[in-house]
Amino acid sequence: DSKNNNILGGITMRRKVYTKDQILKAAYEVVENEGFSGFTARNIAKKMGISTQPIYLEFKNMSDLKNTLLDEICNHLYYDIFPEVRTGDTIIDLGLSYVYFAKEQSNLYNALYVQEYGGGKKMHDFSYNYFHQLIVEHPKYSKLSEKRINALHVGTWICVTGIATLMSSGIIAPTQDEIVHLINRTITNILEEEDTSVLDTL
Amino acid sequence: DSKNNNILGGITMRRKVYTKDQILKAAYEVVENEGFSGFTARNIAKKMGISTQPIYLEFKNMSDLKNTLLDEICNHLYYDIFPEVRTGDTIIDLGLSYVYFAKEQSNLYNALYVQEYGGGKKMHDFSYNYFHQLIVEHPKYSKLSEKRINALHVGTWICVTGIATLMSSGIIAPTQDEIVHLINRTITNILEEEDTSVLDTL
């Protein structure tokens, strides 16, 4: 590619190549520090100490970069964060992992689950698929209808999000046992309710 | 006060006086823009285009200023935000006002209810007192025990906070009717539960 070559007194200069991974790493750090409000080519390039051009060589546009980054983060949640065994019940453990993730990586949590123009729909789909997979493999819940699974997903998500948010400001400070109890009563209530249509249509 | 006087060729110079209200207004704007992480004498003085000295003439320290500001904000919530009539049921209307406040004044909401070192304990006490007052005046709930009132307060707070947070990121987008339904089912569940000790001890 002649664009990358430059004859200067017989010496061939080659432009430094920035890989997708290096750009994703810098983009991740920007989101971790500033959320998606700081997610601009300029900020990411600045973090790397380069111009914005290499970003547009590797990604079609900023939306392509954001989607690729969100896929990477979902992989991180899928393999490293959400499967951590805490009580042995996969659904309870997912709720606990979500609450602790909100506490321990609060900036990233806010970028994904709280901020406008954050993870949004993508996080919803990822969360639903993950939850659905756990439910069908769970001895207590495997026979539930799709509607009931959806109600259970949204209902427990509202509950753990409320807990995580009020914990972050120190308004409540539940122990792990208390969080388990709060998730359990939410599940029980949803399973015993006759009509859960308000939850399953959200 | 001789500190405020300065003889220069016979002309008495008087230092400009900054009132508590002017300082509180600037402090409010700082919190609204940056949350309590930006709550420093330096930032507030900068907003007013002055040195930090007048702040320390009016307030003992930054913690005194923060407490005074939080009292002012609680008054704003008490008189302007929370009492807005929407359905006619005071408890449902409080939940709706909280969710809409989170949506419409998201920076202030985050500073008060989400961020570490935000409103914290003060918001808890304000919220509990406000809720308690509505409950004892409410025809449906006036006979509840203190424990049940506390469980109802924490349980509905977790619910509306979860709704507000997931709405802010666009993960869910419930209508007003759906939010009312979600708050109602939460109240019904707490009133029907035999043992609500996990809620009332939070």
Side-chain angles (χ1 to χ4, degrees):
Chain A
D1 181 349
S2 68
K3 279 201 301 176
N4 282 333
N5 294 313
N6 203 347
I7 309 295
L8 282 175
I11 300 163
T12 300
M13 306 283 284
R14 182 167 283 275
R15 190 191 290 137
K16 182 156 169 29
V17 173
Y18 294 93
T19 64
K20 266 189 146 69
D21 277 356
Q22 286 172 301
I23 296 165
L24 281 167
K25 189 169 170 293
Y28 177 85
E29 284 167 18
V30 165
V31 169
E32 216 185 9
N33 288 326
E34 309 171 47
F36 281 104
S37 62
F39 192 77
T40 62
R42 198 187 164 118
N43 279 345
I44 294 161
K46 200 176 151 197
K47 171 80 70 196
M48 301 174 76
I50 62 172
S51 79
T52 60
Q53 202 189 20
I55 295 171
Y56 292 111
L57 289 173
E58 293 297 330
F59 297 93
K60 262 179 274 169
N61 47 43
M62 289 307 286
S63 153
D64 179 27
L65 173 51
K66 182 176 173 179
N67 275 323
T68 312
L69 179 63
L70 283 174
D71 286 339
E72 292 280 319
I73 294 174
C74 286
N75 274 336
H76 173 52
L77 295 174
Y78 187 93
Y79 290 106
D80 308 323
I81 303 294
F82 287 167
E84 186 156 344
V85 178
R86 296 167 193 272
T87 68
D89 181 306
T90 52
I91 294 295
I92 298 291
D93 287 355
L94 173 62
L96 286 170
S97 294
Y98 179 88
V99 169
Y100 292 135
F101 171 68
K103 195 179 172 65
E104 286 154 21
Q105 295 191 253
S106 58
N107 284 349
L108 188 55
Y109 172 80
N110 281 328
L112 296 175
Y113 293 106
V114 184
Q115 287 165 8
E116 211 179 341
Y117 313 116
K121 179 93 174 71
K122 196 149 189 141
M123 298 320 293
H124 184 281
D125 294 348
F126 167 70
S127 170
Y128 181 76
N129 291 333
Y130 191 93
F131 187 85
H132 194 274
Q133 187 184 330
L134 293 186
I135 284 287
V136 296
E137 289 168 358
H138 196 293
K140 269 164 75 184
Y141 308 122
S142 61
K143 298 232 172 71
L144 296 178
S145 70
E146 284 298 314
K147 283 190 171 192
R148 193 64 65 157
I149 294 174
N150 198 25
L152 214 49
H153 174 242
V154 175
T156 53
W157 201 356
I158 289 173
C159 165
V160 290
T161 300
I163 294 169
T165 303
L166 293 178
M167 277 175 76
S168 68
S169 55
I171 288 174
I172 60 172
T175 62
Q176 176 164 314
D177 276 358
E178 287 172 332
I179 301 171
V180 170
H181 200 124
L182 290 168
I183 299 171
N184 265 325
R185 62 172 282 283
T186 300
I187 294 173
T188 306
N189 285 332
I190 296 169
L191 293 180
E192 287 176 356
E193 255 168 277
E194 275 180 38
D195 179 9
T196 56
S197 54
V198 65
L199 283 169
D200 84 59
T201 53
L202 282 184
Chain B
D1 182 349
S2 67
K3 278 202 301 176
N4 280 334
N5 292 314
N6 204 346
I7 310 296
L8 283 174
I11 300 163
T12 300
M13 303 283 282
R14 183 168 282 278
R15 189 191 290 137
K16 182 157 169 29
V17 173
Y18 295 94
T19 63
K20 264 189 148 69
D21 276 356
Q22 287 172 301
I23 296 165
L24 281 167
K25 189 169 171 290
Y28 177 86
E29 284 167 18
V30 165
V31 169
E32 215 184 9
N33 287 326
E34 310 170 46
F36 281 104
S37 63
F39 192 78
T40 62
R42 200 189 162 117
N43 279 346
I44 294 162
K46 200 176 151 194
K47 168 82 66 197
M48 301 174 76
I50 61 171
S51 79
T52 59
Q53 203 190 16
I55 296 173
Y56 293 111
L57 289 173
E58 293 296 330
F59 297 94
K60 262 180 273 170
N61 48 43
M62 289 307 286
S63 154
D64 178 28
L65 173 51
K66 183 176 172 178
N67 275 323
T68 311
L69 179 63
L70 283 174
D71 286 339
E72 291 281 318
I73 294 174
C74 286
N75 274 336
H76 174 52
L77 295 174
Y78 187 94
Y79 289 106
D80 310 322
I81 304 291
F82 287 168
E84 186 156 347
V85 177
R86 295 166 193 275
T87 67
D89 181 306
T90 52
I91 295 294
I92 298 291
D93 287 354
L94 174 61
L96 285 170
S97 294
Y98 180 87
V99 168
Y100 292 135
F101 172 68
K103 194 179 170 67
E104 284 154 23
Q105 295 191 253
S106 57
N107 284 349
L108 188 55
Y109 172 79
N110 281 327
L112 296 175
Y113 294 106
V114 183
Q115 287 165 11
E116 212 179 343
Y117 313 117
K121 178 91 176 69
K122 196 150 189 137
M123 298 320 293
H124 183 281
D125 294 348
F126 167 72
S127 171
Y128 180 76
N129 291 333
Y130 192 92
F131 186 85
H132 193 274
Q133 188 185 331
L134 293 186
I135 283 285
V136 295
E137 290 169 354
H138 196 293
K140 269 165 74 184
Y141 308 121
S142 60
K143 298 233 172 70
L144 296 178
S145 69
E146 285 298 314
K147 282 188 172 193
R148 194 64 65 158
I149 294 174
N150 198 25
L152 214 49
H153 173 244
V154 175
T156 52
W157 201 357
I158 290 173
C159 165
V160 290
T161 300
I163 294 169
T165 304
L166 294 177
M167 277 174 75
S168 67
S169 55
I171 288 174
I172 61 173
T175 63
Q176 175 163 316
D177 277 358
E178 286 172 332
I179 301 171
V180 170
H181 200 124
L182 290 168
I183 299 172
N184 266 326
R185 63 172 283 284
T186 300
I187 293 173
T188 306
N189 284 332
I190 296 169
L191 293 180
E192 287 176 356
E193 256 169 277
E194 276 181 36
D195 179 9
T196 56
S197 54
V198 66
L199 284 169
D200 84 60
T201 55
L202 281 184

